[in-house]
Amino acid sequence: MRKDKWIPYGLVAPYILHFAVFVAFPVVFSVVLTFHRWNIISPMEFIGLDNYVRLFKDRLFWQAIYNTLRFLVVHIPLQIVVALALAELLNRTVRGASFFRAAFFLPVIVSGVVVTILWQQLLGYNLGLLNRLLTAVSLPRVAWLDDPDIAMYSIAVMATWKNVGLYVILFLVGLQTVPAQYYEAADLEGATDWQKFRYITLPMINPTIFTVVVLSTIGGFSLFIEPYIMTEGGPLNSTLSAVMYIYQQAFQYYHMGYSATLGFFFALLILGVVMLQRRYIEQEN
Amino acid sequence: MLRYLLLTLAAASFLYPFIWMVSASLSSENGLSSLTLLPVEPTWSNYVNMFSKIPLGRAFLNSVLVAVVTTGLVLVSGAMAGYALARMRFRGRNLIFYLIIFTMTLPMQITLIPNYISMVKLGWVDTYFALIMPFVLNSLSILLFRQAFMGLPQALIDAARLDGCGELRIIFQILLPNILPTVLTITILTFMGLWNEALWPLIVIRDEPTMTMPQLVTLFSVGGRAEAQLGVKIAAAVMLALPIVVLYLFFQRHFIRSMASSGLKD
């Protein structure tokens, strides 16, 4: 029996080792790094709170946060509205439902690299599909990716197109948990479609909405490959994302300490925002 | 009727760009500006040019190697840990469970730079180790295995023990065949995640022969090597999308169910 006692520890040993190397150490080391200047090659130099001071004065740090917020302001509502609308349409459809589901889901499984290259063509100024549609109805062309006031919103729409299929499925699962009797009872009371949606459907799918909000927020702060390929953070840093800025500081300038400080603060920000969202949603219920 | 019209419009907006991408990649340079669904002046030249410009064949093999090896290791290590958490009592079990939850809520922004430094110090930069080792254990897959193992009857395990099976044989020979849907879910999620991952390879791989497909295609699109040859860039995107789309055609329902289960976990 003595030998048996060690079996569970043997089974979880790979996990513990992996956790120590790839989770525990990086978390601790990232805090250490925030107090140092380091280019990886020369020895680490302790600089106290300099990285923190620099961070709060760093225009690009605030710009990255501002850009992320601009992304989320479009991305989150658009995602919820489109996903909910498509899920509602699918929920009542029987014939062909699996085809539509599969079509909506296609961009979800494909690499963001592919989607970005594709949308770069759709959003092209001269030959892009969108501008051709606009000129066809004699509207002026839009500089989707070259106008600093528009570029981030274009990326937000693209990201919605890529992810929305997943949320359609999540909403469908949510909609199917609403008992049919609720609607029947509402019908007897003479409720309108909007009332049924507002007072029955919406409260029941609130947890799904929360999931969409949280996943989208994390996604917004993790945005990288889309601006990296499409705009390289431009024009005028208007699409510089949090992860892109971390990447630039670390791998273009080799400011490992400062880059870790950025990562640390963005992580805190994400956790903070998600906690606020959770509190807000719980209050709503 | 209106409902079908709307759904069809929506489906077209998701499918048309992909169809355009494939036909554009098979068109000549002057056909690229058209919006048709069929290739204009059909030619393979974009693909021929692509293979002569970038080592995409090698990158494909790298991607396959990394995705297959890592997925295999995720399944083995995840099943072991999930089984211990689900069916064994030992001190520290709850602690491990909390560590897994902690890992899942931890934003990757905080670990990105320290993990890169670890790779440098371990001498793993520009090796397959850097692409594989950070991903061989995955919190979500442990939780999914734990849940699946908890749902199995104890009699199955007891009978195997009476037959003298060791714990590893119980896990992999007796129990795993009973939870194949979970195995498939974890396989799909892990494989797809690795196949599409571009950020981490961009950080740890500088050496072209070790690059995976998403990384190579990204660098090709950003760096000037496409030399404004749009057709070649689109052909590269098609090559990157093709394997996962083919898998999706075969395992469509499983893909959707797997992704939905990962979304609902949070």
Side-chain angles (χ1 to χ4, degrees):
Chain A
M1 275 325 265
R2 274 200 63 79
K3 207 187 89 201
D4 287 2
K5 220 181 85 183
W6 294 103
I7 290 174
Y9 296 105
L11 292 175
V12 296
Y15 174 75
I16 303 284
L17 185 66
H18 189 268
F19 178 85
V21 175
F22 293 106
V23 182
F25 168 76
V27 169
V28 174
F29 191 52
S30 100
V31 177
V32 173
L33 275 170
T34 63
F35 297 107
H36 290 83
R37 193 200 328 265
W38 194 30
N39 65 2
I40 273 205
I41 300 156
S42 48
M44 277 168 93
E45 183 190 342
F46 181 80
I47 54 167
L49 292 173
D50 279 9
N51 281 327
Y52 293 84
V53 174
R54 178 173 163 199
L55 181 103
F56 284 101
K57 288 191 199 154
D58 184 353
R59 202 180 53 78
L60 286 179
F61 167 71
W62 295 107
Q63 175 87 46
I65 291 176
Y66 175 63
N67 291 342
T68 307
L69 292 181
R70 287 194 308 151
F71 174 88
L72 292 176
V73 160
V74 169
H75 184 56
I76 292 178
L78 193 62
Q79 190 135 262
I80 291 173
V81 170
V82 175
L84 203 48
L86 292 177
E88 272 282 353
L89 285 170
L90 272 184
N91 195 28
R92 304 176 189 190
T93 313
V94 189
R95 203 176 277 234
S98 67
F99 164 76
F100 289 118
R101 246 177 17 158
F104 302 161
F105 209 76
L106 187 58
V108 177
I109 59 141
V110 169
S111 165
V113 176
V114 175
V115 170
T116 308
I117 291 176
L118 196 49
W119 273 70
Q120 218 173 5
Q121 311 318 316
L122 295 181
L123 297 173
Y125 186 75
N126 283 318
L127 298 172
L129 173 70
L130 256 71
N131 275 350
R132 281 172 179 232
L133 291 176
L134 286 178
T135 46
V137 292
S138 37
L139 285 169
R141 295 175 199 276
V142 175
W144 300 108
L145 296 173
D146 301 317
D147 184 334
D149 291 329
I150 297 176
M152 199 58 174
Y153 301 121
S154 301
I155 292 179
V157 171
M158 172 180 81
T160 308
W161 183 84
K162 185 183 188 318
N163 298 333
V164 79
L166 174 61
Y167 300 118
V168 171
I169 306 299
L170 297 190
F171 277 126
L172 258 179
V173 174
L175 289 175
Q176 277 155 8
T177 60
V178 185
Q181 299 98 291
Y182 286 16
Y183 294 114
E184 287 158 16
D187 282 334
L188 287 177
E189 304 277 328
T192 63
D193 277 349
W194 166 251
Q195 284 172 327
K196 279 189 274 183
F197 177 76
R198 174 67 188 83
Y199 297 104
I200 300 173
T201 314
L202 213 51
M204 293 293 284
I205 55 166
N206 217 357
T208 317
I209 292 180
F210 176 66
T211 304
V212 178
V213 171
V214 168
L215 290 181
S216 305
T217 306
I218 295 170
F221 278 98
S222 310
L223 208 59
F224 173 78
I225 203 73
E226 296 84 352
Y228 184 78
I229 291 179
M230 252 185 180
T231 55
E232 298 182 61
L236 301 174
N237 294 314
S238 65
T239 58
L240 182 75
S241 70
V243 173
M244 222 181 144
Y245 193 40
I246 295 174
Y247 180 87
Q248 277 183 4
Q249 284 295 330
F251 305 111
Q252 275 172 22
Y253 307 117
Y254 291 93
H255 296 158
M256 293 301 158
Y258 188 56
S259 181
T261 312
L262 287 169
F264 187 74
F265 266 85
F266 284 127
L268 284 184
L269 198 63
I270 294 167
L271 292 174
V273 170
V274 169
M275 265 162 62
L276 279 178
Q277 287 167 343
R278 166 160 292 163
R279 181 167 298 175
Y280 179 76
I281 296 272
E282 273 166 4
Q283 255 170 17
E284 283 286 288
N285 280 350
Chain B
M1 234 13 248
L2 176 68
R3 183 182 312 150
Y4 274 100
L5 187 70
L6 289 172
L7 281 169
T8 308
L9 263 174
S13 81
F14 288 102
L15 292 178
Y16 169 75
F18 286 108
I19 297 169
W20 175 81
M21 180 170 81
V22 173
S23 66
S25 74
L26 292 166
S27 298
S28 67
E29 276 300 311
N30 35 359
L32 280 171
S33 51
S34 97
L35 300 174
T36 65
L37 295 174
L38 290 171
V40 178
E41 302 166 34
T43 167
W44 289 107
S45 67
N46 290 322
Y47 289 91
V48 174
N49 284 339
M50 176 185 69
F51 281 109
S52 71
K53 274 178 196 291
I54 51 173
L56 208 72
R58 171 78 197 229
F60 174 81
L61 293 178
N62 287 340
S63 274
V64 171
L65 176 87
V66 168
V68 168
V69 170
T70 312
T71 305
L73 291 170
V74 164
L75 287 172
V76 171
S77 62
M80 282 163 56
Y83 173 78
L85 290 174
R87 316 288 324 202
M88 302 181 108
R89 294 175 163 278
F90 57 98
R91 280 188 63 168
R93 188 175 72 167
N94 285 337
L95 176 69
I96 290 172
F97 188 70
Y98 290 130
L99 291 182
I100 291 170
I101 303 291
F102 170 75
T103 308
M104 284 183 78
T105 52
L106 194 70
M108 62 86 169
Q109 284 83 348
I110 195 169
T111 47
L112 194 64
I113 298 303
N115 272 337
Y116 165 71
I117 291 165
S118 299
M119 296 299 116
V120 175
K121 296 297 167 192
L122 288 165
W124 285 356
V125 168
D126 281 335
T127 69
Y128 293 118
F129 283 107
L131 295 172
I132 293 172
M133 295 317 277
F135 303 103
V136 295
L137 264 138
N138 171 296
S139 301
L140 177 65
S141 63
I142 296 177
L143 290 187
L144 289 174
F145 268 126
R146 172 179 169 270
Q147 214 167 4
F149 283 132
M150 286 198 311
L152 292 177
Q154 181 64 32
L156 208 59
I157 298 169
D158 291 341
R161 285 222 180 97
L162 279 179
D163 288 343
C165 285
E167 299 297 322
L168 287 177
R169 261 191 74 189
I170 293 179
I171 297 172
F172 292 106
Q173 268 186 5
I174 314 287
L175 300 185
L176 226 48
N178 288 292
I179 54 163
L180 286 180
T182 302
V183 173
L184 193 57
T185 295
I186 295 168
T187 305
I188 287 174
L189 288 175
T190 314
F191 187 90
M192 191 180 65
L194 287 158
W195 188 271
N196 293 340
E197 173 69 29
L199 172 60
W200 182 249
L202 278 168
I203 289 176
V204 292
I205 306 294
R206 308 285 157 79
D207 173 37
E208 209 165 68
T210 323
M211 285 182 182
T212 59
M213 261 178 116
Q215 178 185 13
L216 196 65
V217 175
T218 300
L219 290 176
F220 180 67
S221 307
V222 177
R225 267 204 300 184
E227 290 158 23
Q229 281 195 52
L230 189 54
V232 177
K233 190 159 125 184
I234 292 170
V238 172
M239 293 304 289
L240 175 57
L242 199 61
I244 207 84
V245 172
V246 169
L247 285 178
Y248 177 62
L249 291 179
F250 282 105
F251 296 101
Q252 197 203 98
R253 274 161 202 286
H254 301 284
F255 265 88
I256 295 178
R257 199 183 309 138
S258 306
M259 292 288 291
S261 71
S262 78
L264 290 172
K265 272 273 130 31
D266 288 86

